Amino acid sequence: MQAALVLMIVLSTLLGAFSQKPHHCKSPPYLQGKLLVDFSEGRSVVYEQFYYDALEQRIRVILAGKEGEHDVFLDRILLYREKVYYDIIYHNKSCIKNSLDGAFVPIAIPPEAKHRAQVVLGSLSGPAQGLLVNNWVGFDPELKANYSLTFTEFGCIPIVNMYRIEGTGHFLLSFFDIVVGIEDPTVFIPPEFCSSKTLVEQRDGKAANFFNALLYA
Amino acid sequence: MQAALVLMIVLSTLLGAFSQKPHHCKSPPYLQGKLLVDFSEGRSVVYEQFYYDALEQRIRVILAGKEGEHDVFLDRILLYREKVYYDIIYHNKSCIKNSLDGAFVPIAIPPEAKHRAQVVLGSLSGPAQGLLVNNWVGFDPELKANYSLTFTEFGCIPIVNMYRIEGTGHFLLSFFDIVVGIEDPTVFIPPEFCSSKTLVEQRDGKAANFFNALLYA
């Protein structure tokens, strides 16, 4: 009986310690939802469809909307491991292939990130009124960027990730309507007409990096 | 039996219609929590304590932290109905009284605001991983400001409110760790020493408005 009591006290102390100090949680490797990309020069894009595969280092973003009077459309598959991205143009069944440079930046908390704050977005005064999140900060020497990353306490779902890149500006990635998993795994495979004669390779200009490849240009 | 079935169908249609179109929810009149104020000139303040009373039009903000090497402290009671605010200085038990100009801006969705989007911050893939919010936009002719207001679907708790004021810039108010209600109602009453001889009235300069009175100067 006494042993059980001691065990309970030890356990509750341990659990207390864990609950006090948020751990470097592991984000899901597959995500889909909506993504807002905001760049410091006042450029921002909302992708209604965003697909993310951390294991194969692939992203797909789809944008369909209006910019003032103009219809805008973008369907881009980014294959970071193959260092290319495709823009798919449906109306004439063609594709544009571009070079991708630099490493894939996973949506994850780097091991060296420092925990800055745990806060509730909204309120815990009633059910479904608040969301417990953790904010992590640090410096990425490879990207030469200070980062501020906010993930949910439960599920480790990204909320908003900010990168301040030396000499470039800030990139803000905001995530909405996130679903864990990928409904259709073929979403990262360029359509068949991309490998046919209609493929245009753009070799002029600088290769895009992780961030600016996500900006509609 | 058939009448009951018809009633059920009518009810479910009505409920469906209501659930599809978010209503102009009513925010709680009493709130306390944390507040981040961000102004376009790069000035931002995080108040660890924020108290809000919509009925009597009173706000109190308390800031205690470090700014680089300096300790910073601010304890400000804003009485919009009386058009004054007090800065409380504890070390010599004195107060500074300032003028407040312009109307109180309630943390609420104006009746003429347009619903722009309903999104989940995070994910609904698991419990406590997401927060359903609504975004409302519009123009306030009195403030001469475009606004973008985000409130939770349940509880109508403020998340982030942005005002773009013509010729001034943007004010961003972000709310964290919000509790519905006020624990201590005396929090809006200036301490006794504020009404004694130690009170300094600042009559020089322009009276602060709703927004810049919330900026630590």
Side-chain angles (χ1 to χ4, degrees), chain A residues 11-202:
Chain A
L11 262 181
S12 71
T13 312
L14 274 177
L15 283 174
F18 280 127
S19 66
Q20 290 306 307
K21 202 171 174 184
H23 54 287
H24 283 64
C25 62
K26 203 170 157 12
S27 261
Y30 301 106
L31 296 171
Q32 64 179 59
K34 292 188 178 75
L35 172 71
L36 163 79
V37 185
D38 190 271
F39 180 53
S40 49
E41 282 170 10
R43 291 160 69 191
S44 73
V45 200
V46 180
Y47 293 107
E48 294 83 23
Q49 291 176 60
F50 161 71
Y51 305 91
Y52 166 84
D53 169 1
L55 300 184
E56 300 274 354
Q57 305 191 349
R58 305 181 289 186
I59 287 175
R60 181 165 182 178
V61 284
I62 301 174
L63 155 83
K66 270 196 178 293
E67 225 171 62
E69 293 290 292
H70 300 280
D71 285 320
V72 287
F73 179 80
L74 182 77
D75 188 345
R76 186 169 284 179
I77 299 176
L78 304 116
L79 306 172
Y80 290 91
R81 201 170 269 178
E82 296 173 27
K83 294 187 181 298
V84 290
Y85 71 89
Y86 295 91
D87 283 342
I88 306 163
I89 297 122
Y90 289 92
H91 69 88
N92 61 0
K93 289 204 171 190
S94 69
C95 292
I96 298 170
K97 189 177 174 181
N98 279 286
S99 310
L100 254 181
D101 203 12
F104 177 74
V105 180
I107 300 168
I109 304 157
E112 69 281 2
K114 267 183 67 179
H115 185 259
R116 189 168 62 167
Q118 181 173 76
V119 293
V120 175
L121 301 181
S123 170
L124 297 182
S125 287
Q129 297 181 7
L131 184 64
L132 191 61
V133 299
N134 292 297
N135 179 247
W136 303 84
V137 290
F139 179 78
D140 188 314
E142 213 170 309
L143 292 172
K144 288 182 184 151
N146 283 298
Y147 56 78
S148 162
L149 315 173
T150 304
F151 285 81
T152 60
E153 166 71 15
F154 300 103
C156 207
I157 308 295
I159 299 292
V160 55
N161 292 350
M162 157 88 97
Y163 296 85
R164 273 186 204 282
I165 302 172
E166 280 172 13
T168 305
H170 77 252
F171 278 96
L172 189 85
L173 306 175
S174 296
F175 304 88
F176 305 101
D177 297 347
I178 293 295
V179 172
V180 174
I182 290 289
E183 217 177 322
D184 172 14
T186 67
V187 85
F188 299 108
I189 300 169
E192 247 175 62
F193 58 77
C194 275
S195 44
S196 76
K197 287 169 192 167
T198 58
L199 181 76
V200 179
E201 279 199 52
Q202 281 198 337

Side-chain angles (χ1 to χ4, degrees), chain B residues 109-139:
Chain B
I109 303 157
E112 69 280 3
K114 266 183 67 178
H115 185 259
R116 191 168 58 169
Q118 181 173 77
V119 292
V120 175
L121 301 181
S123 171
L124 297 182
S125 288
Q129 296 182 7
L131 184 64
L132 191 60
V133 299
N134 291 298
N135 179 247
W136 303 83
V137 291
F139 179 76

